[in-house]
Amino acid sequence: MVVIGGGQAGLAMSWHLVADGVEHAVLERDTALHTWRDARWDAFCLVTPNWQCQLPGYAYDGPDPDGFMVRSEIIDWLDGYRASFDPPLREGTAVTSLRPLGDGPGAEDPAGGFTVQTDAGTITADQVVVATGGYHTPAVPRLAERLPEDLHQVHSAAYTSPAALPDGPVLVVGTGQSGAQIAEDLHLAGRRVHLAVGNAPRFARRYRGRDVIAWMHDTGHYAKPVTDRPLAERTQDRTNHYVTGRGGGRDIDLRAFARDGMVLHGRLTGVARGRFHFAADLAANLDAADEVYNGINGLIDEHIAAHGLDVPIGPSRYRADWVPAADTGPRLDVGDVAAVVWATGFTRGYGWLHAGVFDGAGHPQHRRGVTAVPGLYFLGLPWLHTWGSGRFAGIAPDAAHLADHIRERVRARCRDGR
């Protein structure tokens, strides 16, 4: 059996396979857990509390369960997980092609199985778990090509610190978790920041005496399967809510940043005649993020009332005390900034996976990671089963679910003499 990907999802799957005595190899193109070292900025920290750091057979047991591990602590914790059970890793082994055996999607061959082509040779596997995550290739809009060659540009995956950027104002494009936190990182360093605000939602860090994630955990919100949600929410491409664990955890309030000197703009739509052009949606995007914030607080209020909990009283609604003077933000010429940080997400990269498991948009189709191709699974995707599926705490139950399927398939093949 083969597990593709040596991140936390791949290691979680390997833990179950090791425990079950299933022979397997974990193939990792780079080094295990490399994204935590290579694709996180210096001041990066978790936005989920440490008590949610739970992988199969391994949970956070440090002194600050309600805190938020910083980058170096996350790396140490994950290195400890790897050392706890010694997974059969093959690092520096890139998978270049995965194909079901036979002429069809795998079921046509009585033996089933897959051909896994790597840059180190070919492997035949009866089952394969694709645990490469949902964020593969940094996405930079084509309009970046219209900017001067000498203007410093970096994607959020390669951003490290304010000091690594040229002196002068910085334009950050995008307000998902990375964009909002990088804008804050630059702002706290005293840099002049222009922020192109998208439609990402937000939530409060703490409300009525507790971390909001703890409240939402108690309501069962994170455990609700994606199939119980409206069709509009059943996508891997939804932008995550912005909040931060920095400094012990706090809200990210873009309006407060604006009061303190950050310059907000609407979505970046183009570059022409030496000027950035922004959509007239700044006020609408800020209002929409606040409505999500208020809606989540309202859900917590309902939970507290329904259970008669004796907790501090707090207003459920955030009320804006700063509004933009213009929906596009002020004029911004290309020459007014020294650097652009593209916090514009990632694209999927499954060109090597040749199996009929994708929809028209390139999303893997599955039921909690189990595809229609016998023996082919996905793990570690956002919304694989629940909102929490892409987080440490959500990977564990999803890996256990796949382990059940894998064990049953192994038993069936043994019964059939295969």
Side-chain angles (χ1 to χ4, degrees), residues 289-302 316-317:
D290 292 343
E291 276 305 303
V292 173
Y293 180 105
N294 290 332
I296 290 174
N297 286 355
L299 290 173
I300 295 170
D301 287 339
E302 292 173 7
S316 63
R317 295 197 63 79

Side-chain angles (χ1 to χ4, degrees), residues 115-132:
T115 299
V116 184
Q117 185 71 44
T118 79
D119 56 5
T122 301
I123 301 171
T124 299
D126 57 349
Q127 301 190 76
V128 175
V129 177
V130 179
T132 55

Side-chain angles (χ1 to χ4, degrees), residues 272-338:
R273 297 182 294 279
R275 184 182 304 171
F276 293 104
H277 291 266
F278 302 95
D281 60 1
L282 175 57
N285 290 342
L286 292 171
D287 289 345
D290 292 343
E291 276 305 303
V292 173
Y293 180 105
N294 290 332
I296 290 174
N297 286 355
L299 290 173
I300 295 170
D301 287 339
E302 292 173 7
H303 172 77
I304 290 170
H307 291 81
L309 302 179
D310 183 15
V311 298
I313 298 200
S316 63
R317 295 197 63 79
Y318 169 91
R319 299 194 182 280
D321 58 2
W322 180 91
V323 294
D327 279 347
T328 58
R331 168 176 167 166
L332 182 63
D333 292 336
V334 172
D336 292 337
V337 300

Side-chain angles (χ1 to χ4, degrees), residues 244-266:
T244 184
R246 188 166 181 163
R250 54 178 175 256
D251 289 11
I252 288 185
D253 185 347
L254 302 186
R255 298 181 195 268
F257 287 164
R259 288 197 308 271
D260 292 340
M262 187 181 293
V263 184
L264 305 186
H265 303 267

Side-chain angles (χ1 to χ4, degrees), residues 134-159:
Y135 309 108
H136 300 144
T137 305
V140 176
R142 294 296 300 268
L143 64 85
E145 299 167 10
R146 303 175 69 93
L147 296 174
E149 289 186 3
D150 60 350
L151 178 61
H152 187 89
Q153 301 183 58
V154 63
H155 190 270
S156 59
Y159 170 81

Side-chain angles (χ1 to χ4, degrees), residues 94-278:
V95 174
T96 57
S97 176
L98 169 67
R99 295 182 184 274
L101 291 170
D103 298 326
E108 283 78 359
D109 187 327
F114 305 87
T115 299
V116 184
Q117 185 71 44
T118 79
D119 56 5
T122 301
I123 301 171
T124 299
D126 57 349
Q127 301 190 76
V128 175
V129 177
V130 179
T132 55
Y135 309 108
H136 300 144
T137 305
V140 176
R142 294 296 300 268
L143 64 85
E145 299 167 10
R146 303 175 69 93
L147 296 174
E149 289 186 3
D150 60 350
L151 178 61
H152 187 89
Q153 301 183 58
V154 63
H155 190 270
S156 59
Y159 170 81
T160 57
S161 69
L165 300 183
D167 291 339
V170 180
L171 171 63
V172 178
V173 181
T175 50
Q177 281 186 7
S178 293
Q181 291 177 60
I182 289 172
E184 181 190 45
D185 194 39
L186 292 162
H187 182 66
L188 293 175
R191 301 295 292 266
R192 177 72 163 172
V193 179
H194 293 265
L195 179 61
V197 178
N199 60 1
R202 74 185 186 105
F203 64 84
R205 177 76 276 170
R206 294 182 180 87
Y207 181 63
R208 299 190 68 173
R210 296 181 73 203
D211 192 280
V212 163
I213 287 180
W215 281 124
M216 298 304 286
H217 178 271
D218 287 354
T219 67
H221 195 75
Y222 292 131
K224 291 179 181 177
V226 66
T227 50
D228 289 353
R229 296 184 176 276
L231 285 174
E233 296 185 7
R234 300 182 192 181
T235 172
Q236 298 172 23
D237 297 329
R238 296 192 72 207
T239 304
N240 286 325
H241 302 62
Y242 56 85
V243 70
T244 184
R246 188 166 181 163
R250 54 178 175 256
D251 289 11
I252 288 185
D253 185 347
L254 302 186
R255 298 181 195 268
F257 287 164
R259 288 197 308 271
D260 292 340
M262 187 181 293
V263 184
L264 305 186
H265 303 267
R267 286 178 302 106
L268 179 63
T269 58
V271 180
R273 297 182 294 279
R275 184 182 304 171
F276 293 104
H277 291 266
F278 302 95

